[in-house]
Amino acid sequence: MKLRRWIATGVVAVATVATLNALPATAGRPYDPAEQSLRTLGQRHGLHIGTAVDLAVLNDPADPRYRQLAASEFSSVTAENAMKWESLEPTRGSYNWGPADELVAFARQNNQSVRGHVLVWHNQLPGWLTSGVADGSISKEELRALLKKHITTVVSRYKGKIWQWDVVNEAVSDPWDNPPTLHYKGFWAQHLGPGYIADAFRWARAADPKALLFYNDYNIEAFGSGDPANDKTQFVYDMARQLRAEGVPIDGIGSQGHLGTQYGNYDTLQVAAALKKFSGLGLATAFTEVDVRSQLTEGVQAGDSAEINPRLQASAANFSVLLRACLADRHCLSFTVWGFTDKHSWVPGWFSDPPEGMATIYDENYQPKRAYHEMKADLIYAGPPYVLPRVPHRPRR
Ligand code: XIL
């Protein structure tokens, strides 16, 4: 069975190479892979290249380049905010499906897959829910029922249209939280206990048997950060192994990939090792929210190239680390950037003390940055024997 699958993918790979060689020269020039889009270059590896999409910008007639690039460069899209609970149900019982529906329609028009983001998270919850819990008018039993209803309603609406769902997001604490030992943090763990995680996956599976169900988190790019007893990646790994052992329908681990050039970060071998360890559990993996921000020092803001250049290079190098590690794991199904242009990145709004930015692959004028070119090079100059086409994943019952 395994051998047959390997042969089958081998045939596909050979066929793809044959197609590439047979590609006609463009406008009299020989075929140049560097002129292809990211999505086209990802195809040879069976890798989806995705982006988060801001629906307001997508619909802004004054900013047409955003829509063009979202369609042409990417084969997967994620709603940056439109599928979050506060966006979908701002008032209890009345849903605002418009923007989320539009994203799904956009993906369909452009032959793209959709990563659903996000079903259970402690942030961007509607005010009626958090205040109801705070003032005691929503009991724990009701809260659990509301969560089940939310998951069932949202997953059912998009049944068959979502490739991967981020079912649970950011459930695990960081070493800087209180208490500093790793634990299940936030609103849901506090009110329902950690059992909500398994429940959420089961409810999502019941509503859509075909979507791949992911746990998604940040700072899990590699093992071995600091104290081994307090390693977030290890904690998430142990959680995933436990969920699998209990037969919980979890299909994948999403590593967000929000990095900063001011930190040490990891090398490609460390990141690849982590992905392989997760996929060793029978899970798919994905990078789900990649961006690599930098501190905007006075020099950077004044246009000093001696300060700007090293940041552009470090950002590109970190995009490259994550992409090459993903390419190296045949179970790493998609590589999604969290916005593709500095014009509309969440970073400057969220990291302002000190100010940070320059986190994406296109600058504010939609000019591709070094990070974009490095991503292309990584996709072009990769292949057998160490980079092989993705292995398809089927949802776990
Ligand atoms: C961010 C969005 O980009 C912002 O527009 C919004 O104001 C806050 O949330 N981890 C996640 C994403 O899983 O949903 C977050 O998105 C970024 C961090």
Side-chain angles (χ1 to χ4, degrees), residues 37-341:
S37 65
L38 294 173
R39 70 181 283 176
T40 300
L41 294 172
Q43 253 170 38
R44 181 165 59 97
H45 309 288
L47 178 67
H48 283 71
I49 308 293
T51 184
V53 171
D54 178 332
L55 269 294
V57 185
L58 193 74
N59 286 325
D60 181 357
D63 200 344
R65 193 77 185 123
Y66 186 87
R67 182 175 265 270
Q68 285 161 10
L69 288 173
S72 62
E73 289 289 334
F74 302 97
S75 50
S76 168
V77 285
T78 308
E80 186 169 354
N81 290 298
M83 288 190 187
K84 292 172 181 172
W85 197 337
E86 73 168 5
S87 309
L88 291 178
E89 197 185 5
T91 310
R92 186 167 179 173
S94 85
Y95 288 87
N96 173 29
W97 297 113
D101 285 358
E102 278 174 36
L103 181 80
V104 172
F106 177 81
R108 200 192 160 100
Q109 266 164 30
N110 295 295
N111 195 20
Q112 294 166 314
S113 303
V114 182
R115 292 198 83 260
H117 177 83
V118 49
L119 297 172
V120 194
W121 190 27
H122 55 271
N123 279 342
Q124 293 178 277
L125 290 169
W128 61 263
L129 183 77
T130 49
S131 61
V133 170
D135 69 19
S137 61
I138 296 177
S139 68
K140 287 191 195 322
E141 293 68 41
E142 192 180 1
L143 181 65
R144 189 164 182 274
L146 281 167
L147 181 61
K148 180 177 183 184
K149 177 165 168 275
H150 173 71
I151 292 176
T152 307
T153 306
V154 177
V155 176
S156 302
R157 181 173 185 92
Y158 299 114
K159 184 178 174 184
K161 297 177 178 170
I162 303 289
W163 178 35
Q164 306 174 3
W165 263 116
D166 287 334
V167 177
V168 176
N169 196 31
E170 302 181 356
V172 177
S173 70
D174 299 286
W176 58 80
D177 282 324
N178 187 17
T181 44
L182 292 173
H183 58 277
Y184 291 106
K185 72 175 179 190
F187 182 85
W188 296 104
Q190 267 160 34
H191 297 292
L192 301 181
Y196 82 87
I197 296 174
D199 289 340
F201 280 97
R202 293 196 173 104
W203 294 329
R205 169 62 73 242
D208 187 345
K210 297 213 173 121
L212 293 174
L213 304 181
F214 275 68
Y215 175 79
N216 192 49
D217 215 329
Y218 58 87
N219 285 3
I220 57 166
E221 294 84 23
F223 290 91
S225 43
D227 171 12
N230 215 15
D231 181 333
K232 186 170 177 179
T233 311
Q234 186 65 45
F235 191 96
V236 170
Y237 176 84
D238 293 341
M239 175 198 76
R241 192 179 47 185
Q242 185 64 28
L243 292 171
R244 294 289 286 187
E246 289 166 7
V248 174
I250 177 173
D251 302 306
I253 298 294
S255 182
Q256 294 183 359
H258 292 294
L259 301 180
T261 61
Q262 67 271 39
Y263 304 116
N265 302 327
Y266 299 101
D267 65 48
T268 310
L269 297 180
Q270 292 172 306
V271 179
L275 293 178
K276 287 182 182 185
K277 203 160 169 203
F278 279 115
S279 56
L281 294 173
L283 294 162
T285 62
F287 280 105
T288 56
E289 308 185 11
V290 181
D291 55 13
V292 188
R293 60 189 189 271
S294 287
Q295 294 185 347
L296 305 178
T297 59
E298 279 176 26
V300 168
Q301 294 186 46
D304 179 354
S305 58
E307 296 211 15
I308 292 172
N309 285 333
R311 287 172 172 77
L312 291 173
Q313 292 172 33
S315 185
N318 281 290
F319 272 97
S320 186
V321 164
L322 301 188
L323 179 53
R324 282 184 293 164
C326 179
L327 282 166
D329 174 19
R330 300 190 72 187
H331 303 275
C332 183
L333 304 182
S334 57
F335 185 95
T336 294
V337 295
W338 204 243
F340 56 89
T341 166

